[in-house]
Amino acid sequence: MAWIRRVRTASGATAVQIAEYDGGRRKIVAHVGSARTEAELGILIERAREMLADPAQGAFDLGIEPAVPRTRLVAPPAAALFDAGPRDAAPAAGGPARVVSTDSRLLFQALGGIYDDLGFDALGDDVFRGLVLARVVEPASILDTGRALADLGHAAASDKTMRRTLARCADRGYRDRIAEICFAHARASGDISLVLYDVTTLYFEAEHEDALRKVGYSKERRAGPQVVAGLLAGRSGFPLEIGCFEGDKAEKHTILPVIRQFQARHGIEAMVVVADAGMLSAANLDDLDEEGLGFIVGSRVTKAPAGLESHFRWHGDAFTDGQVIDTLTPKKGKNEDNDPARRAEPAWDRNDHQGSWRAVWAFSAKRFAHDNRTLTAQENRARDVISGAKSARTPRFVKNADGSPALDEKALARARKLAGLKGYVTNLPVSVMSPAEVISRYHDLWHVEQSFRMSKTDLAARPMFVRKRDAIEAHLTIVFTALAVAREAQARTGLAIRNVIRQLRPLRSATIAVNGATQTFPPVIAREQQKILDDLKNGRDLRH
């Protein structure tokens, strides 16, 4: 008759064997494996019982090969990665092995390492940390965040505790402390002499306005209450400052408050601010210049006829692919700084051209083709509306001629003349920044635009279900912090944060109960996922 035999080995492990008597002599039928913990011993004994019940059974379902006695089944107890943590149910004494739970703690701990590396652990708030990391992985409401954290192998606080954490964000000035930490990280990682600014709107699932949530211009054409958020970022898109404004506030009125807040916080006097054409107002540019700040902003193409008057007079509307024209643009209205009677474009000088800014215009054949396709579509739509083939609000290039709609031929011709052009306005002379660098620095704006897309999609900054201002500000603080963690994860791996999560979340640890003991086993990690984990841990930075 066969029985289960336990033998202490020379290494101190316990070997589990199946033995039987054959002709009065003991014979080892199978070596099941060697155990170094009670949980391993319980699993091997259970395996031996199954083998006794069915000698033909193959490999153990958990992937533990009995033929490799030296294989360590779990990490040493000191390895925090595989600590058992709280359990949903107490293991029963005896009986078959049972899976108590599975979770993606590997992903949570990898992102938690970044959170700590950035210095956010200085807040000393584990609940806030959980809210931030949960938002990076699976943005959810407070009610659903507990489930998301449990799936990540982290014990979640109660709903009330998490709501109290939102209040702590305001009471303890978390936004200010996080902004200081982000600035220190950005300064240590590279140059902060150039910053990027952009705005977005965050809408609410609400019907009525209040002092903050107001109906305003919505890029998504929503009619409900919203707030306007302004984000200041480094040239790689790493967040530095965030501002929250009333929903009906114009974009151009948000940039200066955020810039001044950033300057006051860090004592910065000189830097270059890059923003899109929405920030282009005479007052904004004058204020930035008076405060000693450089700026690069997108110019509206409608300013091209005045700014390029000289070029159109001497060269017509012909441009070559990649052609760049470094010239002037009036600060307001029109002036004589750029005399069209002179063929050569003037080089902007602050003292000689006090009524103008420097303007750099670039022509792209690819942009030209795209603009012309768009204009043709708009022209066709206008003709359809004029003919009555389509009914719609008055589209572009339709004018009212004696009470009847007609195609605005002049406006269409003017738009086609400007197709392919992109303008940039700056107060930096050519001796400081070449035209090519002006264009290149402006194009860095895609980083902050990507950050806003991440905050809206990957981090689900909207829709927002909170209603009080402190809660709204706390929500933005969590999103701001999560954005910093996500940006750093992307910088270290070279992968989009969504891709990082998609690859690491399926790596699930399993907590197993057998014979009165529990143990958590790590997942099998493929080479590709291990590289991501190594990059996240080692801080490989692809930004430079």
Side-chain angles (χ1 to χ4, degrees), residues 335-382:
N335 59 39
E336 300 299 324
D337 285 348
N338 189 355
D339 186 356
R342 296 183 178 181
R343 185 166 187 164
E345 299 287 348
W348 182 76
D349 182 273
R350 180 183 300 276
N351 296 321
D352 295 341
H353 307 113
Q354 297 184 14
S356 301
W357 298 120
R358 181 185 175 197
V360 176
W361 291 92
F363 180 85
S364 162
K366 184 177 180 180
R367 187 186 300 117
F368 176 79
H370 174 271
D371 289 349
N372 267 312
R373 285 195 300 270
T374 301
L375 290 170
T376 298
Q378 292 174 336
E379 178 184 358
N380 292 338
R381 181 176 178 81

Side-chain angles (χ1 to χ4, degrees), residues 5 7 54 77 156 175 179 202 291 311 326 386 405 469 526:
R5 181 170 181 261
V7 181
D54 182 8
R175 175 86 59 82
L202 307 175
E291 294 187 20
H311 176 87
D326 198 344
I386 293 169
R469 178 156 198 147

Side-chain angles (χ1 to χ4, degrees), residues 391-418:
S391 60
R393 292 181 299 176
T394 304
R396 189 182 182 189
F397 305 129
V398 174
K399 65 179 181 179
N400 191 334
D402 298 327
S404 300
L407 185 67
D408 192 338
E409 302 277 2
K410 289 185 178 180
L412 179 59
R414 184 166 56 247
R416 289 199 183 277
K417 183 179 181 180
L418 304 178

Side-chain angles (χ1 to χ4, degrees), residues 109-307:
Q109 290 168 0
L111 294 176
I114 292 179
Y115 180 97
D116 297 341
D117 288 347
L118 289 174
F120 298 140
D121 56 333
L123 295 175
D125 192 329
D126 189 61
V127 179
F128 179 81
R129 183 177 186 267
L131 290 172
V132 170
L133 298 184
R135 182 152 296 275
V136 175
V137 177
E138 183 184 341
S141 65
I142 287 291
L143 293 176
D144 208 29
T145 296
R147 176 200 56 77
L149 286 171
D151 188 66
L152 292 169
H154 184 77
S158 67
D159 293 347
K160 289 185 178 179
T161 299
M162 286 190 280
R163 294 187 187 280
R164 285 196 294 268
T165 301
L166 296 182
R168 284 201 301 273
C169 283
D171 297 341
R172 300 183 183 178
Y174 280 10
R175 175 86 59 82
D176 295 336
R177 296 173 65 184
I178 289 166
E180 291 169 357
I181 292 170
C182 287
F183 177 79
H185 174 77
R187 183 173 55 185
S189 301
D191 182 17
I192 55 169
S193 62
L194 183 142
V195 293
L196 315 172
Y197 182 79
D198 200 5
V199 297
T200 192
T201 53
L202 307 175
Y203 68 87
F204 290 80
E205 296 295 330
E207 296 181 1
H208 305 292
E209 295 180 297
D210 54 31
L212 178 62
R213 301 179 300 171
K214 293 182 177 294
V215 176
Y217 171 74
S218 171
K219 295 181 179 180
E220 291 87 11
R221 297 184 178 180
R222 293 182 176 271
Q226 63 181 25
V227 297
V228 176
L231 178 67
L232 194 68
R235 63 179 66 194
S236 67
F238 188 81
L240 298 174
E241 195 83 34
I242 194 168
C244 182
F245 304 92
E246 295 81 3
D248 60 352
K249 201 174 191 69
E251 291 184 0
K252 63 184 180 181
H253 295 152
T254 66
I255 183 170
L256 290 176
V258 174
I259 292 294
R260 286 167 178 160
Q261 179 176 291
F262 180 75
Q263 285 184 285
R265 189 191 305 282
H266 307 297
I268 294 177
E269 294 183 359
M271 62 182 182
V272 177
V273 181
V274 183
D276 68 12
M279 305 300 114
L280 184 61
S281 74
N284 274 357
L285 301 188
D286 284 338
D287 287 344
L288 290 172
D289 189 64
E290 288 175 4
E291 294 187 20
L293 299 175
F295 62 77
I296 302 172
V297 297
S299 177
R300 296 184 179 92
V301 73
T302 53
K303 292 183 174 289

Side-chain angles (χ1 to χ4, degrees), residues 18 27 294 311 335 476:
I18 296 177
K27 177 181 177 181
H311 176 87
N335 59 39
L476 287 179

Side-chain angles (χ1 to χ4, degrees), residues 467-528:
R467 59 184 180 85
K468 294 184 178 180
R469 178 156 198 147
D470 284 351
I472 293 171
E473 294 279 6
H475 175 81
L476 287 179
T477 300
I478 291 172
V479 171
F480 181 66
T481 313
L483 180 58
V485 173
R487 269 293 183 184
E488 182 63 13
Q490 291 188 165
R492 293 184 180 191
T493 63
L495 302 174
I497 186 62
R498 187 177 299 179
N499 192 3
V500 172
I501 295 168
R502 180 180 60 81
Q503 295 203 50
L504 297 188
R505 196 168 189 182
L507 300 179
R508 300 185 71 82
S509 301
T511 299
I512 297 172
V514 59
N515 287 347
T518 61
Q519 187 72 35
T520 299
F521 292 84
V524 174
I525 305 174
R527 181 181 300 174
E528 294 80 4

